[in-house]
């Protein structure tokens, strides 16, 4: 059985415009060295485990929309220089978050219905912490 959770009243307003005009905001962080994709993927997945409210997809109900657990893989991609493109949920496996990296910079786009700035910052801090923990773990092998 899939777990689901109701969205609050503000999110219901955002969901009305979900497909046509995604209300997305971005936070970025920059590290001293270039990002290693495999480590970033592991860090994001570990963060999604501890922040399960982000591991969801938006579903339409009879009277209102709701979030449902998303068991699909999270996609992390390399960004181009001009990376603030339209948020395509189907190409993002239904997630309302998009993680892209370019050299030493990581951009994390959030659909505003999912969280506010405080929740986004906590999630990003988790990604950074997990990334550095994995990177600095001498037993970690990127090829595993």
């Amino acid at each position: 059985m899939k777990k689901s959770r109701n969205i609050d009243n503000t999110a219901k307003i955002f969901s009305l415009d979900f497909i046509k005009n995604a209300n997305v905001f971005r936070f970025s962080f920059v590290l001293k060295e270039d990002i290693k994709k495999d480590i970033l993927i592991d860090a994001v997945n570990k963060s999604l485990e501890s922040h399960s409210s982000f591991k969801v997809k938006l579903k339409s109900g009879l009277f209102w929309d709701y979030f449902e657990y998303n068991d699909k893989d999270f996609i992390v991609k390399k960004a181009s220089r001009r990376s603030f493109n339209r948020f395509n949920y189907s190409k993002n496996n239904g997630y309302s978050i998009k993680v892209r990296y370019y050299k030493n910079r990581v951009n994390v786009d959030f659909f505003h219905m999912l969280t506010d700035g405080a929740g986004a910052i906590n999630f990003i801090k988790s990604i950074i912490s997990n990334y550095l923990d994995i990177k600095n773990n001498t037993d970690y092998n990127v090829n595993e």
Side-chain angles (χ1 to χ4, degrees):
M1 179 172 202
K2 295 185 178 185
K3 295 179 183 177
S4 64
R5 67 181 171 99
N6 293 334
I7 57 176
D8 64 15
N9 289 334
T10 304
K12 287 178 185 174
I13 294 168
F14 281 111
S15 72
L16 296 174
D17 207 20
F18 180 68
I19 301 300
K20 291 183 181 177
N21 299 314
N23 296 297
V24 177
F25 64 96
R26 170 179 285 176
F27 282 107
S28 299
F29 62 92
V30 178
L31 299 179
K32 292 182 180 181
E33 299 173 357
D34 284 352
I35 302 297
K36 293 180 174 38
K37 182 179 181 178
D38 294 337
I39 296 175
L40 181 59
I41 290 169
D42 288 348
V44 170
N45 286 327
K46 193 172 181 183
S47 296
L48 285 169
E49 289 174 18
S50 61
H51 294 80
S52 59
S53 61
F54 291 105
K55 193 167 174 60
V56 295
K57 58 187 169 186
L58 184 66
K59 299 293 282 185
S60 294
L62 186 58
F63 296 107
W64 54 81
D65 295 337
Y66 62 94
F67 285 120
E68 183 176 83
Y69 177 78
N70 191 346
D71 57 358
K72 292 185 178 179
D73 291 335
F74 190 84
I75 300 170
V76 175
K77 290 185 180 177
K78 189 169 188 173
S80 62
R81 288 183 175 202
R82 186 182 60 92
S83 66
F84 203 79
N85 298 328
R86 185 166 181 200
F87 204 104
N88 189 325
Y89 299 93
S90 61
K91 289 183 179 179
N92 202 37
N93 278 348
Y95 285 94
S96 299
I97 306 168
K98 185 166 64 172
V99 177
R100 302 290 183 260
Y101 68 96
Y102 182 76
K103 295 185 180 182
N104 64 335
R105 179 185 191 87
V106 175
N107 300 321
V108 185
D109 299 337
F110 296 88
F111 181 44
H112 207 301
M113 185 175 159
L114 185 63
T115 190
D116 62 0
I121 288 173
N122 285 331
F123 185 69
I124 287 178
K125 289 192 311 189
S126 175
I127 294 173
I128 295 168
S129 175
N130 289 328
Y131 184 89
L132 294 175
D133 284 347
I134 294 168
K135 182 181 176 296
N136 294 326
N137 183 350
T138 56
D139 296 330
Y140 183 80
N141 185 349
V142 175
N143 296 322
E144 288 183 341

